[in-house]
Amino acid sequence: MITTTEVTRIAKLAKLNFTESEIKTFSEQLTNIANLLDELKAVDCSNVEPLTSVCDHTQRLREDKITISNITDELFANVPGTTADFAKEIKCFIVPKVVE
Amino acid sequence: MTNPAKITISKALESLKKKEFSAQELTKAVIENATKHRNLNAYITETFDKALELARNADQNYSQGKPRKLEGIPVAVKDLFCTRGVLTTSGSKMLSTFVPTYESTVSQNIANHGTIMLGKANMDEFAMGSSNLTSHFGPVLNPWKAKDNSADLVPGGSSGGSSAAVSAYLAMAALGSDTGGSVRQPAAFTGTVGMKPTYGRCSRYGMIAFASSLDQAGIFTRSVEDAALMQEAMMGFDEKDSTSLNIEVPELVSACQKSIKGMKVGIPVDLMNSPGLNSEILNMWQNSIVMLKSQGAEIIDVTLPHAKYALATYYIIAPAEASSNLARYDGVRYGHRTEKKDLNIEELYEYTRSEGFGTEVKRRIMIGTYVLSSAFMDAYYLKAQKMRRLISEDFKTAFSKTDLLLLPTAPSAAFAVNEKFNDPVQMYLNDLFTIPASLAGLPCISVPAALSSKGLPLGMQIIGPALDEYNVLRAAAALEKSVSDINFIPQGY
């Protein structure tokens, strides 16, 4: 059972907010989903190595060299909100004050 | 003259070479269909003017005798492939004004071969869904309707705009993406061919991420040979994707003419007792076995003992990866940003994300956050990764005795748009047969193989060992040949 308190805790971690009725619905639905996921408890996997990638090869590395440059305008092309023009002008992303 | 919009790509290429019609005539004919059937809501963004311009270039290339491999073929592109200068939404309010400044490798690859993009195809939000009902831009309608019933049906999902577009002749092919079945299931629901290659064959660069260890580009076409043609153009090494396979792109088209005599086709018999598998699907499965056998295939019973855990495994791994991937949508650099004033940074994130994401996406982010939270990480996420290995090993064992596996694509035919799924788990069951191959990263295809008693298309799935797209297409073409007497064109199209 995933309680409404648990749903509220997860929502905080996921940076989402919900109404009380949404939290109640999520509590029911996530409980059903968790029951589905709990089917895995029936299988003993103690001697199994986790599979993190289906690619057999090892991670490819590249030289630490600049390949793309001078794309500042592109990086700011989709900056959202009422402060967008200012962000583009000063080439900084704008967020609320985070330090006192 | 036959309508150029209604023939296969391979035939269209022949006709274009022989100048039986021009690329402009072909593009205009497909645009005419797309315009006529706008009610299907298959496209989020149309790029018809640009398409006509490209068609003029294509005609020049033909007249100068130097057409590229897919010169002048009009296609749709699922709206999660970033397209430079063209709105790319991933079916979400979060990206409803996002215009990428770069192009995805796969859409660039096919364009380099001469395809013409007609527009961006509708889809479930962030590719999360099996019905196209979760799109911020409204549901896509399946061009198919059941006999004696006018109810609108879903085109499957998440690549529902792509499947409907190809089925209704609004494009000759459409790019899709397949994370747990998002190309194969909609292909089955619309009577089209849908193929996903081996994980790593197609670059994920510029594909808006859902679950990175599973996401793979795929293609919708109206014939197996067309799927082979398109796959050859889509695949290839790309240094911009760290999981891209640095191996040669195989020639695939000749597979479609090759006999399947002596091929060992495995039947995962333990899946015949799966929950929710309807009798018509079972009949199609059994008929398909007979058809392949009559063409000389050797039929071998196999088991996939852990496949029954694939759904649970997938619904841990995919949401876990999704919740991490979607953490980037914070309203700061791109995407939706809340208009509420006087917020602190936490509130900016929370309002932005709560306004920008739809219900199914939030649900999956919540599941992902839950299974990755410290108290449950080992019980769920780690366990799922172990199960993923067992499922993958099941396939390896099966392929030690067989060349391919044959099973249905979806447990039922297309369902109604207004059918209510109060329990999301019911909707997730749609992915029962497609998820195992996704978890193992294997090449697979859905081929239309029967009509239901209500006259709706049903699809069979063929799964091959890693990198063996050739034999997957070979068997798919054989199955297609066996059902050539069935009409897989929706009425009125």
Side-chain angles (χ1 to χ4, degrees):
Chain A
M1 172 80 190
I2 300 179
T3 61
T4 51
T5 318
E6 184 69 358
V7 172
T8 310
R9 186 186 72 89
I10 304 163
K12 195 79 196 159
L13 288 172
K15 305 269 185 277
L16 292 169
N17 54 36
F18 296 110
T19 63
E20 266 182 44
S21 81
E22 283 174 324
I23 288 178
K24 200 167 162 288
T25 312
F26 265 123
S27 161
E28 287 162 17
Q29 290 178 341
L30 294 184
T31 300
N32 285 349
I33 293 165
N35 288 341
L36 167 77
L37 307 186
D38 283 339
E39 284 178 11
L40 298 192
K41 286 185 177 155
V43 190
D44 178 14
C45 291
S46 44
N47 294 319
V48 183
E49 275 296 302
L51 180 67
T52 50
S53 167
V54 291
C55 288
D56 289 333
H57 65 87
T58 47
Q59 279 288 322
R60 194 160 18 86
L61 299 174
R62 66 165 174 81
E63 266 184 79
D64 189 16
K65 228 169 45 184
I66 295 168
T67 52
I68 303 170
S69 55
N70 296 327
I71 56 160
T72 329
D73 288 342
E74 292 183 30
L75 291 176
F76 283 87
N78 282 287
V79 64
T82 47
T83 52
D85 288 341
F86 186 49
K88 284 177 191 173
E89 192 190 318
I90 62 166
K91 300 282 187 276
C92 285
F93 294 111
I94 297 170
V95 293
K97 197 165 136 186
V98 282
V99 283
E100 290 303 321
Chain B
M1 191 178 84
T2 42
N3 183 340
K6 298 195 174 181
I7 57 178
T8 60
I9 294 173
S10 43
K11 286 203 179 110
L13 288 169
E14 275 173 37
S15 297
L16 285 165
K17 273 181 206 133
K18 290 185 199 154
K19 307 234 168 13
E20 289 169 357
F21 49 74
S22 69
Q24 290 175 76
E25 283 166 332
L26 172 61
T27 301
K28 276 180 193 157
V30 182
I31 288 175
E32 200 174 300
N33 276 343
T35 310
K36 188 172 158 196
H37 298 294
R38 276 202 179 115
N39 64 313
L40 297 178
N41 201 24
Y43 286 101
I44 291 174
T45 304
E46 294 168 347
T47 54
F48 296 163
D49 289 342
K50 176 81 183 157
L52 289 169
E53 195 186 309
L54 289 169
R56 278 191 289 277
N57 288 343
D59 281 331
Q60 268 177 15
N61 286 343
Y62 276 108
S63 63
Q64 289 166 9
K66 48 171 195 186
R68 292 166 291 177
K69 190 174 155 180
L70 295 167
E71 191 75 62
I73 299 299
V75 300
V77 173
K78 186 178 183 179
D79 210 17
L80 61 49
F81 291 92
C82 285
T83 40
R84 189 185 301 113
V86 177
L87 184 70
T88 299
T89 70
S90 209
S92 181
K93 180 180 174 187
M94 187 60 90
L95 291 176
S96 55
T97 60
F98 177 65
V99 180
T101 53
Y102 61 101
E103 185 83 16
S104 84
T105 298
V106 167
S107 57
Q108 185 67 58
N109 282 352
I110 61 166
N112 288 347
H113 281 94
T115 63
I116 293 172
M117 183 173 87
L118 292 176
K120 303 298 294 287
N122 203 340
M123 56 183 281
D124 276 305
E125 185 179 2
F126 284 105
M128 298 176 193
S130 311
S131 62
N132 216 107
L133 294 171
T134 74
S135 169
H136 173 66
F137 301 90
V140 174
L141 304 185
N142 193 327
W144 288 81
K145 281 191 195 283
K147 267 186 220 160
D148 311 321
N149 191 333
S150 63
D152 287 325
L153 304 176
V154 303
S158 65
S159 314
S162 300
S163 69
V166 172
S167 174
Y169 298 106
L170 321 182
M172 299 193 97
L175 289 183
S177 70
D178 193 312
T179 302
S182 285
V183 166
R184 289 160 286 157
Q185 183 256 20
F189 278 16
T190 55
T192 54
V193 173
M195 181 168 189
K196 174 194 94 77
T198 309
Y199 182 85
R201 279 283 203 196
C202 289
S203 169
R204 292 179 296 107
Y205 178 75
M207 258 174 89
I208 292 169
F210 163 11
S212 308
S213 79
L214 297 157
D215 294 344
Q216 189 61 201
I219 191 74
F220 292 87
T221 54
R222 286 192 293 267
S223 77
V224 174
E225 189 181 2
D226 284 2
L229 265 170
M230 291 298 298
Q231 284 290 357
E232 285 179 2
M234 290 161 67
M235 302 191 307
F237 174 64
D238 179 13
E239 62 182 18
K240 297 197 198 96
D241 172 3
S242 65
T243 58
S244 173
L245 294 169
N246 193 355
I247 47 174
E248 212 176 308
V249 175
E251 185 282 322
L252 295 174
V253 176
S254 68
C256 305
Q257 312 301 333
K258 207 165 171 193
S259 155
I260 58 160
K261 200 155 187 250
M263 269 189 116
K264 293 182 179 134
V265 176
I267 311 299
V269 285
D270 46 348
L271 296 184
M272 286 192 172
N273 303 316
S274 301
L277 175 64
N278 85 35
S279 60
E280 290 190 318
I281 303 284
L282 197 58
N283 284 342
M284 164 182 66
W285 196 352
Q286 280 155 347
N287 289 338
S288 305
I289 295 171
V290 173
M291 289 187 274
L292 291 187
K293 205 172 171 179
S294 73
Q295 290 190 48
E298 184 187 340
I299 304 296
I300 297 169
D301 286 355
V302 295
T303 56
L304 298 172
H306 299 95
K308 59 175 179 277
Y309 300 110
L311 197 66
T313 304
Y314 176 86
Y315 276 96
I316 293 169
I317 291 174
E321 294 185 13
S323 73
S324 310
N325 272 329
L326 271 58
R328 72 188 67 173
Y329 300 102
D330 55 9
V332 175
R333 293 150 301 152
Y334 55 90
H336 174 75
R337 179 177 177 121
T338 184
E339 287 178 1
K340 285 196 165 54
K341 297 263 183 291
D342 301 323
L343 304 175
N344 64 34
I345 188 90
E346 290 287 318
E347 290 164 339
L348 171 74
Y349 295 153
E350 286 182 13
Y351 281 108
T352 292
R353 291 164 61 79
S354 300
E355 292 165 9
F357 292 135
T359 309
E360 182 61 27
V361 172
K362 288 180 192 168
R363 192 179 291 126
R364 303 229 190 163
I365 291 175
M366 291 289 283
I367 302 167
T369 308
Y370 177 70
V371 300
L372 288 178
S373 65
S374 55
F376 301 104
M377 177 98 174
D378 285 359
Y380 287 119
Y381 189 60
L382 194 67
K383 184 76 183 252
Q385 288 186 315
K386 291 179 173 185
M387 282 305 306
R388 190 173 183 182
R389 181 172 300 278
L390 292 177
I391 291 162
S392 191
E393 296 293 329
D394 279 358
F395 278 108
K396 282 189 185 144
T397 309
F399 288 131
S400 67
K401 293 176 279 190
T402 62
D403 298 316
L404 296 166
L405 298 181
L406 176 74
L407 67 163
T409 308
S412 68
F415 47 88
V417 167
N418 58 11
E419 201 161 317
K420 285 278 173 269
F421 289 94
N422 292 325
D423 178 4
V425 173
Q426 280 306 313
M427 185 66 98
Y428 298 168
L429 284 172
N430 266 295
D431 308 330
L432 198 63
F433 294 122
T434 48
I435 280 175
S438 297
L439 288 170
L442 301 174
C444 39
I445 193 167
S446 175
V447 185
L451 291 178
S452 74
S453 57
K454 291 179 182 161
L456 294 175
L458 304 172
M460 280 302 293
Q461 184 184 192
I462 291 157
I463 303 172
L467 304 180
D468 199 3
E469 284 79 12
Y470 190 89
N471 277 322
V472 169
L473 286 158
R474 189 175 153 198
L479 189 58
E480 180 183 54
K481 201 162 77 184
S482 296
V483 296
S484 58
D485 56 328
I486 304 177
N487 181 7
F488 288 110
I489 299 167
Q491 214 178 2
Y493 289 91

